[in-house]
Amino acid sequence: MNEILPVTDAVTDTPVKATPALPDAQTVTEVTHWTDKLFSFRCTRPASLRFRSGEFVMIGLMNDPDPKTGKVKPLLRAYSIASPSWDEEMEFYSIKVENGPLTSRLQHIKVGDEVILRPKPVGTLVHDALIPGKRIWFFATGTGFAPFASLLREPQTYEDYEEVIITHTCRTAGELTYGRELIESLKDDELLNEVIGEGFWKKIKYYPTTTREESPKMGRITDLINSGEAYKDLDVTPLCPDNDRAMICGNMAFNLELKAMLEEAGLEEGANSKPAQYVVEKAFLD
């Protein structure tokens, strides 16, 4: 006599549709909201990922289903890696755009959530794209500080240069907080002081400015350089091709204006394939 299976057991062979796994998923480990428009987060790092400090990767979330096909595709944007190449985790610094396709959602991530991280780093803001010099300038606006957050914690920066100048121009004082706190933390970073050398941070000259809100130093960095005020404040000689190297990361108008200024000073633009005296990140727009 054949055994009659209970109804509940009879349906166990029915295929169950598996929930699609997030491609290239990494887990969020930390989120910090700096202002109502800026936040940073850290996530796990793919075991096989190797990158040079200053490069960027594509990160994002899954988009909503296509209304016609129902297919779901990743929504990705280029993000500079804010953590140095030796860090066990990945760090990113982002704006919040209320109606932005990605950042309107990304700004709500929490510890334990997953994000997409495509492990194919690229970019021009790397030491390999510059020829040797004595002094390096990092020029940033807004979240364009991110690649320099990586490079300021990269030992090679201090091996290659006698002086490191980081300028950061934002609209309000609050938008400078991420960069200021990171630079201040370098003094007490036992690992970096041990690896790079005690007091390495003394090579850094930090020059934050605001354009809309009152602060100790107001004005666009390009205006402050053209007037000579920035050189006076920093107690440095003007830009020259013999000693200076530069990296630029900011909004398009800022990038173009600084490119013109550097070239007028005699510096030539470099690339990974042809190193020279300055580089600009074309993939990033603040």
Side-chain angles (χ1 to χ4, degrees):
M1 182 176 175
N2 294 330
E3 180 182 1
I4 299 176
L5 296 175
V7 173
T8 53
D9 288 343
V11 297
T12 54
D13 289 336
T14 304
V16 178
K17 290 185 178 180
T19 302
L22 198 64
D24 296 316
Q26 297 300 319
T27 304
V28 176
T29 60
E30 181 180 310
V31 181
T32 303
H33 293 273
W34 300 95
T35 71
D36 60 347
K37 294 181 180 178
L38 294 168
F39 74 105
S40 64
F41 69 94
R42 292 176 66 84
C43 66
T44 54
R45 176 174 177 170
S48 61
L49 176 61
R50 298 290 180 270
F51 68 91
R52 296 173 296 176
S53 293
E55 290 187 312
F56 66 87
V57 290
M58 303 298 288
I59 65 172
L61 300 168
M62 294 303 289
N63 207 344
D64 295 325
D66 185 286
K68 294 182 179 179
T69 65
K71 291 184 178 180
V72 181
K73 295 182 179 179
L75 178 60
L76 304 170
R77 293 289 184 272
Y79 269 76
S80 290
I81 304 169
S83 47
S85 60
W86 51 264
D87 201 325
E88 294 181 354
E89 293 187 335
M90 307 289 286
E91 182 179 339
F92 300 95
Y93 184 42
S94 177
I95 57 174
K96 304 176 185 179
V97 180
E98 185 177 350
N99 298 315
L102 178 59
T103 60
S104 62
R105 297 163 58 186
L106 193 63
Q107 64 180 292
H108 299 297
I109 57 172
K110 297 179 176 60
V111 172
D113 289 349
E114 289 186 336
V115 294
I116 300 168
L117 192 158
R118 290 284 163 81
K120 295 179 181 179
V122 290
T124 56
L125 300 186
V126 293
H127 287 306
D128 293 342
L130 296 175
I131 58 177
K134 292 182 179 179
R135 179 172 64 185
I136 188 164
W137 295 72
F138 295 147
F139 294 106
T141 62
T143 53
F145 188 90
F148 305 131
S150 174
L151 287 158
L152 285 167
R153 291 178 282 184
E154 169 57 53
Q156 187 180 347
T157 300
Y158 306 95
E159 294 167 4
D160 289 357
Y161 299 98
E162 299 172 8
E163 195 168 38
V164 179
I165 301 174
I166 170 74
T167 79
H168 191 198
T169 301
C170 294
R171 288 161 294 198
T172 67
E175 293 173 346
L176 295 167
T177 307
Y178 173 80
R180 185 186 68 248
E181 291 194 3
L182 184 144
I183 290 172
E184 289 175 353
S185 73
L186 298 178
K187 300 177 183 179
D188 302 315
D189 193 312
E190 295 182 4
L191 176 62
L192 284 178
N193 275 279
E194 181 179 343
V195 173
I196 301 173
E198 196 71 32
F200 75 93
W201 46 269
K202 293 178 182 178
K203 287 188 174 184
I204 299 172
K205 288 192 173 183
Y206 174 47
Y207 197 64
T209 72
T210 58
T211 56
R212 293 187 186 177
E213 187 178 70
E214 192 72 29
S215 71
K217 177 57 63 175
M218 295 193 67
R220 300 164 70 244
I221 185 60
T222 46
D223 293 337
L224 293 167
I225 287 178
N226 282 329
S227 69
E229 188 174 344
Y231 298 134
K232 183 179 179 181
D233 291 338
L234 290 163
D235 191 25
V236 298
T237 55
L239 287 156
C240 78
D242 293 337
N243 298 324
D244 291 296
R245 304 295 173 260
M247 295 185 179
I248 308 169
C249 193
N251 60 64
M252 183 62 76
F254 173 80
N255 290 357
L256 293 174
E257 188 174 1
L258 256 173
K259 274 169 60 74
M261 287 176 55
L262 292 176
E263 291 182 0
E264 186 176 346
L267 280 71
E268 295 182 6
E269 184 172 2
N272 281 283
S273 57
K274 189 181 178 182
Q277 293 149 328
Y278 83 88
V279 286
V280 56
E281 187 52 82
K282 299 178 178 65
F284 174 86
L285 294 179
D286 172 33

